[in-house]
Amino acid sequence: MPQPQITMKDIAKALSVSVATVSRALADNPSISEKTRKKVQEYAKEHNFVSNVLAESLRHSKARAQKIIGVIVPEIVHYFFSTVVSGIEQEAFNRGYSIIVAQSKEQFEQEVKICDSFIRSRLCGVIVSQAKDTREYEHFIRIMNNDLPLVFFDRICTGVNASRVVIDDYHGAFTATNYLIETGCKRVAFCGSSMQLEIVKNRMNGYKDALRQHDMDVDIDCIFECDSRELAEQQIPEIMSRENRPDAFFCINDDTAVGVMHAVKRLGYKIPDDVSICGFTNGERALACDPMLTTMDQRGIEIGREAATILIDKVEGITPLNRVEKQVVRTNLVVRGTTKNSQ
């Protein structure tokens, strides 16, 4: 059986030096002493170390200008995606990289065009949150077939075995729904999105399990595809006119939660006395409404930094290109004025 390929981390550990020292020594960088360079290079040769082809290309002058990471987001105006981009940019800058950000506008065709453009531009890797209506994944596979590291965040593609960084969506939804129930809510509605998205499935499961833990039925009449402020303001009047109306809403994002809040207030209900509302993002909208919004903190900056770290480590050969990294960032509930106090 062939021995697993060693990495720069393995060499660094064996020789008691830093990964950066190994990287520079393998590149024959004069900033590293000749003795250390020779020791690192001989160890790498003895153990059949194979440098990542991308890392190798970055050592040549023609490729130096391409230390650029492509980032694809559904919408940059969304607070969560903008904070992820900020986290990616911070980590990239710290390690000598730049980023190019493109928006899919939730359109599969646009996402495909961006991916192909990034491949042609010979960027060093791609970080992506897939579009809502993406059903085919050949464009992501093309990225990987071109030996480019690919890292998903938030909206992952289950049809592609690539690295990913996600929030613990199940835990977040369970925590939010459980809090609504523990504060006296008897009929909690779920305002979600397309079930094609893995994050929606996970949040739905967390919502359902919280209901079951309290011996409450999962009622399909309390589950809605409603993932924007506009949809919430359109749908809520009819929902609240029902005889057995919800007394709480757990929303897939803060934008939807704000739409629910405005709609129920216009209908004359008091928040949180009559209706409790919880969002999922903890963006600026959560603080700019009255009352301020209870929500799950999605920690976009941390997600961005983690995604950039995984990608750059692959580019530089610190971790193997074909190793699938899976990072889960825990979210937490931020209680404000749209929910009752815990009993």
Side-chain angles (χ1 to χ4, degrees):
M1 181 180 294
Q3 293 296 313
Q5 179 183 327
I6 67 168
T7 67
M8 288 192 192
K9 280 186 176 179
D10 297 326
I11 298 174
K13 184 177 180 180
L15 300 180
S16 299
V17 296
S18 69
V19 173
T21 295
V22 172
S23 178
R24 294 188 182 104
L26 291 173
D28 214 26
N29 190 313
S31 66
I32 305 300
S33 70
E34 184 177 354
K35 180 180 177 181
T36 300
R37 276 183 281 159
K38 184 176 180 180
K39 181 173 66 171
V40 169
Q41 291 167 6
E42 287 179 351
Y43 186 92
K45 184 177 180 180
E46 289 170 4
H47 292 82
N48 299 313
F49 171 74
V50 179
S51 177
N52 183 304
V53 293
L54 291 167
E56 191 67 31
S57 71
L58 288 173
R59 297 187 187 111
H60 300 291
S61 58
K62 289 182 180 179
R64 288 191 187 279
Q66 294 305 315
K67 292 183 70 172
I68 302 172
I69 299 167
V71 181
I72 307 173
V73 296
E75 289 183 311
I76 195 66
V77 295
H78 192 295
Y79 177 84
F80 169 68
F81 292 123
S82 68
T83 57
V84 173
V85 169
S86 181
I88 293 170
E89 187 172 40
Q90 288 175 21
E91 185 63 25
F93 179 81
N94 289 339
R95 297 182 65 172
Y97 291 74
S98 300
I99 69 171
I100 293 178
V101 182
Q103 301 179 85
S104 67
K105 293 291 187 180
E106 300 285 16
Q107 298 171 8
F108 166 74
E109 294 81 5
Q110 181 71 3
E111 188 177 80
V112 172
K113 290 178 182 178
I114 295 168
C115 287
D116 290 341
S117 173
F118 282 175
I119 293 170
R120 290 194 301 271
S121 299
R122 300 181 64 82
L123 304 187
C124 65
V126 178
I127 299 173
V128 58
S129 184
Q130 74 175 54
K132 194 185 298 182
D133 66 350
T134 295
R135 305 288 186 271
E136 300 173 8
Y137 313 117
E138 288 81 3
H139 53 305
F140 295 140
I141 294 172
R142 281 198 297 276
I143 290 174
M144 299 174 70
N145 286 344
N146 278 271
D147 290 328
L148 295 177
L150 176 65
V151 179
F152 288 99
F153 73 90
D154 190 49
R155 300 181 188 174
I156 64 173
C157 174
T158 56
V160 178
N161 191 27
S163 297
R164 71 277 310 265
V165 182
V166 296
I167 280 288
D168 189 344
D169 291 293
Y170 172 90
H171 175 264
F174 182 93
T175 299
T177 307
N178 185 65
Y179 184 81
L180 290 168
I181 296 168
E182 288 186 341
T183 53
C185 299
K186 304 298 183 185
R187 189 167 172 78
V188 182
F190 178 83
C191 292
S193 187
S194 168
M195 288 300 291
Q196 296 291 332
L197 297 174
E198 198 68 18
I199 62 169
V200 181
K201 295 176 185 176
N202 291 335
R203 291 181 195 178
M204 174 77 80
N205 289 334
Y207 160 79
K208 288 180 176 179
D209 283 353
L211 295 178
R212 293 183 181 117
Q213 177 166 294
H214 290 273
D215 296 321
M216 298 171 68
D217 293 334
V218 176
D219 187 345
I220 60 171
D221 289 336
C222 280
I223 297 173
F224 313 101
E225 187 165 329
C226 176
D227 61 359
S228 70
R229 175 172 177 169
E230 292 72 23
L231 285 174
E233 295 194 8
Q234 291 170 19
Q235 295 179 25
I236 291 302
E238 188 278 325
I239 293 169
M240 295 301 291
S241 70
R242 300 174 185 176
E243 183 177 349
N244 195 15
R245 68 165 181 81
D247 62 356
F249 289 85
F250 167 56
C251 302
I252 195 102
N253 55 49
D254 286 358
D255 191 43
T256 303
V258 171
V260 172
M261 185 190 313
H262 283 220
V264 298
K265 285 171 73 174
R266 281 200 301 270
L267 293 169
Y269 294 100
K270 294 181 180 179
I271 301 172
D273 296 342
D274 301 323
V275 180
S276 291
I277 302 168
C278 181
F280 205 117
T281 301
N282 197 29
E284 293 174 353
R285 284 185 176 91
L287 300 174
C289 53
D290 183 23
M292 291 191 288
L293 182 67
T294 293
T295 185
M296 299 303 301
D297 187 352
Q298 212 164 352
R299 301 173 67 185
I301 293 285
E302 184 173 345
I303 290 176
R305 286 174 175 162
E306 289 282 355
T309 296
I310 290 172
L311 186 134
I312 294 171
D313 281 354
K314 290 181 181 296
V315 170
E316 297 184 347
I318 295 172
T319 57
L321 189 61
N322 61 357
R323 180 186 294 172
V324 175
E325 305 280 351
K326 298 179 180 180
Q327 294 288 339
V328 179
V329 176
R330 274 297 182 112
T331 187
N332 59 282
L333 180 67
V334 181
V335 177
R336 298 193 180 100
T338 58
T339 52
K340 302 169 189 175
N341 293 327
S342 182
Q343 295 177 343

